[in-house]
Amino acid sequence: MNFIFSGIAQGSSYLSPYAYGVLHRLHHAYADTELDPHSPKYQSNIFAMMARTKRIYTSIVQGKADVDERFKKDLPKWTTFDNFADSWAVRLSWAAFYIAFYVVFATHWWLFLLLPIHFIMGPVHGAVINWFAHKYGYRNFNVEDTSRNIMPVDIFMLGEGYHNNHHKHSGRANFGTKWHEFDPVYPFILLFNALHIIRLRKVATSEV
Ligand SMILES: [Zn+2]
Ligand SMILES: [Zn+2]
């Protein structure tokens, strides 16, 4: 199910939930060390970091990465769907759909300039967090890595910008900790949990 919803939500910039899961576990385990798949500490610019992330991500997708079993454990895997959503036919169909949407709904020509962001939304979102939230912003917790909260009220990254909080409490579904740090996605997580679409673990709703 999470593969299908990822396919719809990410469209042309689909990333495999399985491979991203492995990648993200590696990031938490080795944050800001040389084994971190993406750290601004070891790359000179954001594009070099994205290139390294892509290389490691691709090797996980292809099953070539030498990754410890504990990073793969319990992650859902659906290779057939990954191959389908990752194909050029599907990616270009999504791109054509976005263009058609703009042709119908865009009210000014300059709005079309936003289209490239839609095409590569997944990597753009990832890079913004992985680069800027490990470089700029404030810290609530003095953790060992360089994670920071980008904005006191994170509306643009939908809560993921509270990255320092997330590194401190990585199992928690609510990324906000201070009164002003509203996580816009958290109410939806609670709703989906109540509707039994997802099942939150105890740690996800704990306040400590
Ligand atoms: Zn991080
Ligand atoms: Zn995380």
Side-chain angles (χ1 to χ4, degrees):
M1 203 64 166
N2 62 351
F3 280 75
I4 293 169
F5 280 120
S6 294
I8 296 168
Q10 297 180 23
S12 62
S13 64
Y14 177 80
L15 294 168
S16 157
Y18 167 79
Y20 200 87
V22 175
L23 195 80
H24 198 63
R25 284 175 171 181
L26 288 169
H27 172 59
H28 276 279
Y30 301 120
D32 292 311
T33 71
E34 286 184 46
L35 293 173
D36 187 347
H38 43 70
S39 167
K41 237 172 106 178
Y42 293 93
Q43 262 78 45
S44 54
N45 62 67
I46 190 167
F47 298 106
M49 185 191 75
M50 287 169 87
R52 176 179 154 84
T53 313
K54 184 177 187 311
R55 213 168 47 241
I56 298 173
Y57 167 83
T58 307
S59 67
I60 297 170
V61 169
Q62 294 172 344
K64 291 177 185 164
D66 182 19
V67 181
D68 203 283
E69 203 47 47
R70 69 192 155 113
F71 296 114
K72 306 179 203 167
K73 203 174 149 239
D74 299 332
L75 283 178
K77 202 173 183 182
W78 190 1
T79 313
T80 315
F81 189 86
D82 277 348
N83 292 339
F84 166 74
D86 187 28
S87 65
W88 277 109
V90 172
R91 288 196 191 279
L92 291 176
S93 301
W94 279 113
F97 171 68
Y98 303 154
I99 294 168
F101 188 90
Y102 269 65
V103 168
V104 176
F105 293 107
T107 48
H108 289 284
W109 67 266
W110 60 263
L111 287 168
F112 282 84
L113 299 175
L114 299 172
L115 272 169
I117 301 174
H118 295 289
F119 296 155
I120 53 165
M121 196 57 188
V124 166
H125 177 265
V128 166
I129 295 296
N130 297 335
W131 182 264
F132 295 101
H134 274 267
K135 243 176 146 53
Y136 307 106
Y138 65 97
R139 281 159 77 91
N140 286 338
F141 303 102
N142 204 7
V143 289
E144 276 180 28
D145 55 64
T146 62
S147 60
R148 290 169 178 275
N149 297 336
I150 311 181
M151 287 164 276
V153 183
D154 177 19
I155 39 169
F156 294 109
M157 290 292 130
L158 300 176
E160 273 216 64
Y162 308 131
H163 202 61
N164 175 244
N165 300 350
H166 175 56
H167 269 267
K168 173 73 180 175
H169 300 288
S170 57
R172 240 196 233 167
N174 181 6
F175 281 24
T177 53
K178 292 267 165 71
W179 66 270
H180 54 83
E181 293 168 350
F182 172 63
D183 181 343
V185 175
Y186 186 49
F188 291 97
I189 293 177
L190 290 179
L191 176 68
F192 288 173
N193 187 51
L195 295 173
H196 299 289
I197 296 169
I198 60 168
R199 196 171 61 240
L200 281 176
R201 289 186 184 170
K202 219 174 167 133
V203 63
T205 47
S206 83
E207 289 302 315
V208 277

